[in-house]
């Protein structure tokens, strides 16, 4: 009988489950609603199980394990309990629950040691060496997320507002007046505070395009945020033991689409670590199940043993 495994990337907007055979060949995929369990625990778990069960119904074979990378798991905690609950809803298949960023690390590095840099709506740097994990950043939009789409937009708005108060020229003023469809920058705070984090982050694309056109005000924003992200990468590399793994995978919309950002960031990291090797990660983080060698998979039948 065909044996296969399922990886699921459960995020804030949707959940993607992908089945792979034991050679890593994709067999099928399914999507469901948000799997971010700190926003709505029951709905998130339900959506994760729904995607897994859809694949189980499609594929004629024996599912040997499920690896769920779940947004918000670090906030909720108790990963074994989460894994056991999911297992109980998917036919008692051995299940492991990890953070979505760790799933991305497994995929981006294909099981090897090194670092994964995520910069999308938020940002975080995760490192792995000899089974030990290192995390730098990832503290959310109010406390960190340097180099993220949110941080780029916020920094650009701060620059524009400062210039507006000084009555200085700044191309970012014109950008945001047009973007928010307002008469002047005095109306920006009300507009900004009404937006969700993804909506704020989405406006970073306009800042990046302005920087690419040669505008100095926008370029400075990109350079400053690249510096902060490079700082976090260097902190991660500093914490490795010698010999340090130098493989660094990049993922997330900011790093996938912004060559200027990557160029500034990589150049600064290589000033200290010239052997660093950067690559843009395959975006299918569910693929991380292929590279996870952990034996910490939970069955529903073990559920009460963990309490």
């Amino acid at each position: 009988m065909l044996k296969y495994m399922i990886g699921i990337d459960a995020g804030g907007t949707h959940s993607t489950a992908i089945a792979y055979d034991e050679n890593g060949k994709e067999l099928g995929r399914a999507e469901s609603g948000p799997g971010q369990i700190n926003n709505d625990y029951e709905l998130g778990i339900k959506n994760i199980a729904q995607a897994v069960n859809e694949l189980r119904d499609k594929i004629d074979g024996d599912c040997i394990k499920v690896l769920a990378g779940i947004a918000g798991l670090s906030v909720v905690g108790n990963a074994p309990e989460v894994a056991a609950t999911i297992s109980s809803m998917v036919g008692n298949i051995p299940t492991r629950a990890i953070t979505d960023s760790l799933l991305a690390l497994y995929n981006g590095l294909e099981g090897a040691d090194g670092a994964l840099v995520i910069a999308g709506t938020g940002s975080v740097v995760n490192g792995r060496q000899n089974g030990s994990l290192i995390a730098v950043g990832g503290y959310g939009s109010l406390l960190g997320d340097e180099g993220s789409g949110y941080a780029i937009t916020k920094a650009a708005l701060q620059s524009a507002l400062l210039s507006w108060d000084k009555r200085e020229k700044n191309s970012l003023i014109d950008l945001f007046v047009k973007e928010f469809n307002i008469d002047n920058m005095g109306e920006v705070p009300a507009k900004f505070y009404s937006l969700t984090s993804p909506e704020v982050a989405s406006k970073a694309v306009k800042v990046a395009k302005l920087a690419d056109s040669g505008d100095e005000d926008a370029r400075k924003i990109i350079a400053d945020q690249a510096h902060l992200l490079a700082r976090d990468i260097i902190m991660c590399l500093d914490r490795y033991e010698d010999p340090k793994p130098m493989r660094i995978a990049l993922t997330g919309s900011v790093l996938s689409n912004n060559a200027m950002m990557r160029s500034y960031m990589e150049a600064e990291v290589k000033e200290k670590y010239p052997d660093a090797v950067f690559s843009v990660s395959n975006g299918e983080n569910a693929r991380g199940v292929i590279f996870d060698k952990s034996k910490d998979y939970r069955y529903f039948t073990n559920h009460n043993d963990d309490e």
Side-chain angles (χ1 to χ4, degrees):
M1 178 180 286
L2 171 69
K3 293 186 181 296
Y4 68 94
M5 62 198 88
I6 294 174
I8 180 162
D9 188 5
T13 57
H14 66 281
S15 300
T16 301
I18 306 178
Y20 300 91
D21 68 15
E22 292 181 293
N23 295 318
K25 178 185 175 183
E26 181 177 328
L27 301 175
R29 61 177 61 203
E31 291 210 357
S32 62
Q36 186 166 349
I37 60 175
N38 63 314
N39 286 343
D40 189 326
Y41 183 87
E42 291 187 1
L43 178 62
I45 295 293
K46 177 183 175 183
N47 287 334
I48 291 167
Q50 178 184 323
V52 171
N53 285 326
E54 183 178 332
L55 277 179
R56 292 176 61 225
D57 290 341
K58 285 181 184 177
I59 300 170
D60 184 15
D62 177 24
C63 183
I64 56 176
K65 66 179 181 180
V66 172
L67 179 64
I70 307 174
L73 180 64
S74 58
V75 177
V76 172
N78 203 3
E81 181 77 13
V82 172
T85 302
I86 295 170
S87 175
S88 73
M89 299 170 72
V90 297
N92 299 339
I93 295 170
T95 301
R96 184 175 180 223
I98 59 176
T99 64
D100 56 339
S101 59
L102 180 55
L103 183 71
L105 180 101
Y106 287 158
N107 174 51
L109 297 173
E110 298 186 335
D113 282 355
L116 177 83
V117 186
I118 303 174
T121 298
S123 71
V124 66
V125 178
N126 285 311
R128 183 170 180 262
Q129 184 180 31
N130 300 325
S132 297
L133 299 174
I134 295 170
V136 177
Y139 300 121
S141 59
L142 295 180
L143 294 176
D145 281 357
E146 299 86 356
S148 67
Y150 189 102
I152 290 169
T153 301
K154 178 182 173 183
L157 274 170
Q158 289 172 322
S159 171
L161 286 167
L162 181 60
S163 293
W164 170 257
D165 284 343
K166 291 181 175 180
R167 295 304 187 260
E168 292 177 347
K169 181 174 174 55
N170 186 328
S171 302
L172 293 166
I173 293 175
D174 298 332
L175 184 153
F176 286 117
V177 165
K178 181 179 180 181
E179 183 67 18
F180 288 118
N181 192 26
I182 54 179
D183 293 326
N184 63 66
M185 289 296 290
E187 300 174 49
V188 161
K191 293 278 190 179
F192 175 79
Y193 290 121
S194 70
L195 299 177
T196 64
S197 291
E199 287 171 338
V200 171
S202 70
K203 299 187 184 304
V205 173
K206 300 291 180 66
V207 179
K209 286 183 177 178
L210 187 60
D212 286 339
S213 75
D215 181 80
E216 184 59 26
D217 295 315
R219 187 207 62 79
K220 185 176 186 306
I221 298 299
I222 298 300
D224 288 348
Q225 291 301 312
H227 161 70
L228 292 172
L229 203 51
R231 179 202 66 186
D232 287 356
I233 295 170
I234 290 168
M235 279 194 283
C236 177
L237 299 182
D238 285 346
R239 287 167 58 183
Y240 287 144
E241 295 178 0
D242 291 325
K244 301 174 184 286
M246 287 288 108
R247 184 171 175 178
I248 303 170
L250 310 175
T251 190
S253 57
V254 171
L255 294 176
S256 298
N257 301 321
N258 194 326
M260 181 184 291
M261 181 90 165
R262 291 200 308 272
S263 176
Y264 284 134
M265 180 191 71
E266 291 178 15
E268 183 168 345
V269 172
K270 287 189 173 186
E271 284 182 14
K272 182 166 186 181
Y273 291 105
D275 293 334
V277 178
F278 291 87
S279 63
V280 177
S281 169
N282 176 313
E284 298 289 8
N285 290 331
R287 182 170 163 262
V289 68
I290 299 169
F291 307 106
D292 179 28
K293 306 305 180 187
S294 172
K295 294 181 172 59
D296 187 27
Y297 279 76
R298 305 290 168 135
Y299 298 82
F300 178 63
T301 50
N302 291 343
H303 182 273
N304 292 327
D305 295 340
D306 297 320
E307 294 182 348

